[in-house]
Amino acid sequence: KYPFHFHMLGNSPSSYLKHSSIHRSFYRCISIHGTHNTTVSENVAFDVVGYCFYLEDGVEEDNTLAFNLAAHIHIIGEAPWGWGQTTQINKQS
């Protein structure tokens, strides 16, 4: 679903994503979900639909996101039924 997804790792200080690039992703870049104390740094994302550096639930703690760059990011529009998200580009920045 995502190019890179830290998924429910709990406390994970030895996990990191550094010096990587993501381009032409149709759904986001890097998601941190239920993971704490991880590092995402010095990455570049280009031509991506949706959020690029994403804390999925908002309960993730003590993660380091530093010196990342996201460019040419496209907004995910509202779903036709009024909730959720789609990958269709409705607007372009």
Side-chain angles (χ1 to χ4, degrees):
K1 188 172 182 178
Y2 309 112
F4 199 88
H5 192 185
F6 292 97
H7 185 75
M8 306 299 282
L9 299 177
N11 188 32
S12 190
S14 62
S15 296
Y16 64 89
L17 182 65
K18 295 182 178 181
H19 307 235
S20 298
S21 66
I22 297 169
H23 57 93
R24 295 186 183 158
S25 170
F26 294 103
Y27 198 67
R28 299 192 174 135
C29 295
I30 300 166
S31 176
I32 300 173
H33 180 203
T35 301
H36 315 290
N37 296 298
T38 192
T39 300
V40 175
S41 69
E42 301 174 62
N43 301 292
V44 175
F46 180 79
D47 196 12
V48 174
V49 176
Y51 298 111
C52 248
F53 304 101
Y54 183 64
L55 299 173
E56 196 161 327
D57 289 334
V59 299
E60 297 78 14
E61 296 181 340
D62 301 318
N63 293 297
T64 300
L65 285 82
F67 305 106
N68 297 294
L69 173 66
H72 198 57
I73 308 304
H74 310 281
I75 296 170
I76 298 175
E78 290 184 29
W81 53 87
W83 60 274
Q85 296 178 332
T86 67
T87 58
Q88 179 181 359
I89 298 173
N90 294 328
K91 300 176 186 176
Q92 186 170 343
S93 60

